[in-house]
Amino acid sequence: MKIYYDPNFTFQELLDYYAPSLLDIDGERFIDLHSLNIVNFLGLQPINRYQEEINGWFFNVNEYETNEILPLENLLPFTNENFEKFKISNALSFEYLKYNEVYNNLFLKVENTLNNLECVISLNNNFLTQHLEIFADVGFEFLLEINVVLTIKNLAHKYSFSSCFNHPFVFRIELSNTFYDQVYEFLEEFRDFNMKISGQIPTLYNQFKMLPKSDELARILQNSSIDSFSKTIYNYGSIELFIDDLRKLADLLSLFSENSMLD
């Protein structure tokens, strides 16, 4: 039995970051998209450790002498299509690791999930605790979320990724039907945005505090469900399109006011 994994991870970290691995079972290779099967090997000592290249990728290899029988239905056969899935899952896990070890003070974080090929973008608790005053201001937090909502929706749309937004500052990006190169570019572009906005947020908040009080913003916050409002903007992907549709709605409703029985 041989287990192949990215040298950027320790063997234990494969589970911590839901990283993928390749398994060689009696000379036949399989892919474990999230390395769930390595739990069976954590207490075993490899009989050999070395590195090997497969399809242009370098791997650490742990070789075991064991009669452990793994459930093959949990594994993918090693094909070019499934190796592309391996690379996507590995890219997500490596990004997850970097956001824990290198970018752990940025505004948002990226995580791999156990749900096939999916990443979650969410608010980084480290950033939240360092800027409690900012997130205590409901008006500014609302504007910040709308900005992030539009950016992530349009970025996902640019790469034709399916996405959803169900909770404040939590976005799920579905990546099952794409390619590694696209995912790599998406992660790089998102990281650039995240680094820029993380540095700008304190300055933007100071500028916001200096603005005259907005009665319009206060009415939106008072008279709408903020979560529902943000989801609507996310679905639209454009404030301008949303406003245009509201104007058209007002025009259509004028039909009823023109024929009102309450004259």
Side-chain angles (χ1 to χ4, degrees):
M1 173 79 71
K2 300 176 185 177
I3 300 178
Y4 299 74
Y5 57 97
D6 188 319
N8 287 298
F9 301 98
T10 66
F11 193 67
Q12 174 64 51
E13 285 177 335
L14 295 176
L15 283 176
D16 296 337
Y17 293 99
Y18 311 142
S21 56
L22 304 181
L23 280 68
D24 186 305
I25 304 173
D26 296 328
E28 189 173 0
R29 286 180 181 154
F30 298 90
I31 294 173
D32 186 343
L33 271 186
H34 303 294
S35 294
L36 297 181
N37 286 284
I38 73 161
V39 68
N40 301 288
F41 298 88
L42 292 178
L44 299 179
Q45 194 66 24
I47 60 173
N48 198 8
R49 286 192 179 98
Y50 54 93
Q51 290 193 321
E52 187 174 325
E53 181 182 346
I54 299 176
N55 290 9
W57 282 58
F58 283 96
F59 291 92
N60 281 347
V61 185
N62 286 9
E63 186 174 353
Y64 297 89
E65 189 172 36
T66 176
N67 294 320
E68 183 75 37
I69 299 176
L70 300 180
L72 297 184
E73 63 268 19
N74 295 330
L75 304 173
L76 299 176
F78 185 87
T79 64
N80 288 336
E81 180 180 352
N82 287 336
F83 189 61
E84 194 75 7
K85 293 181 178 181
F86 171 94
K87 292 190 290 185
I88 291 172
S89 182
N90 197 74
L92 296 177
S93 294
F94 188 41
E95 197 74 5
Y96 187 4
L97 181 148
K98 286 188 291 187
Y99 272 84
N100 272 346
E101 297 188 352
V102 182
Y103 306 121
N104 59 346
N105 289 318
L106 292 184
F107 167 41
L108 300 166
K109 63 180 179 178
V110 174
E111 299 176 66
N112 197 358
T113 77
L114 294 175
N115 187 22
N116 197 10
L117 293 174
E118 174 192 70
C119 80
V120 169
I121 297 173
S122 61
L123 178 62
N124 184 355
N125 285 333
N126 286 344
F127 191 89
L128 172 63
T129 56
Q130 292 168 13
H131 301 87
L132 290 176
E133 179 191 6
I134 291 175
F135 290 94
D137 189 316
V138 178
F140 182 78
E141 183 182 16
F142 173 67
L143 293 176
L144 179 61
E145 183 170 76
I146 294 298
N147 174 266
V148 173
V149 155
L150 292 171
T151 299
I152 292 181
K153 177 60 182 284
N154 291 323
L155 183 58
H157 179 74
K158 173 182 176 180
Y159 290 93
S160 301
F161 296 161
S162 298
S163 60
C164 63
F165 168 63
N166 295 323
H167 304 283
F169 293 112
V170 179
F171 307 85
R172 308 184 79 90
I173 314 295
E174 171 60 42
L175 301 168
S176 297
N177 299 308
T178 188
F179 299 97
Y180 165 74
D181 288 346
Q182 288 180 298
V183 174
Y184 184 87
E185 290 178 12
F186 168 80
L187 292 173
E188 282 204 319
E189 194 164 348
F190 170 75
R191 194 186 318 123
D192 286 344
F193 161 74
N194 196 14
M195 294 176 74
K196 290 175 183 176
I197 193 69
S198 297
Q200 291 171 348
I201 286 174
T203 300
L204 290 170
Y205 179 58
N206 288 332
Q207 292 174 350
F208 173 77
K209 289 193 298 183
M210 297 173 63
L211 294 175
K213 181 180 178 181
S214 169
D215 293 335
E216 295 84 357
L217 178 59
R219 276 197 298 272
I220 291 174
L221 294 171
Q222 182 179 357
N223 296 301
S224 64
S225 166
I226 303 305
D227 288 349
S228 296
F229 192 96
S230 298
K231 289 176 189 176
T232 298
I233 298 300
Y234 187 79
N235 291 333
Y236 266 86
S238 167
I239 287 284
E240 291 77 14
L241 181 59
F242 181 52
I243 292 172
D244 288 345
D245 285 356
L246 287 177
R247 288 196 180 106
K248 182 60 178 180
L249 179 61
D251 290 343
L252 292 171
L253 286 172
S254 67
L255 170 68
F256 294 89
S257 61
E258 292 168 0
N259 296 278
S260 174
M261 302 297 292
L262 300 176
D263 294 336

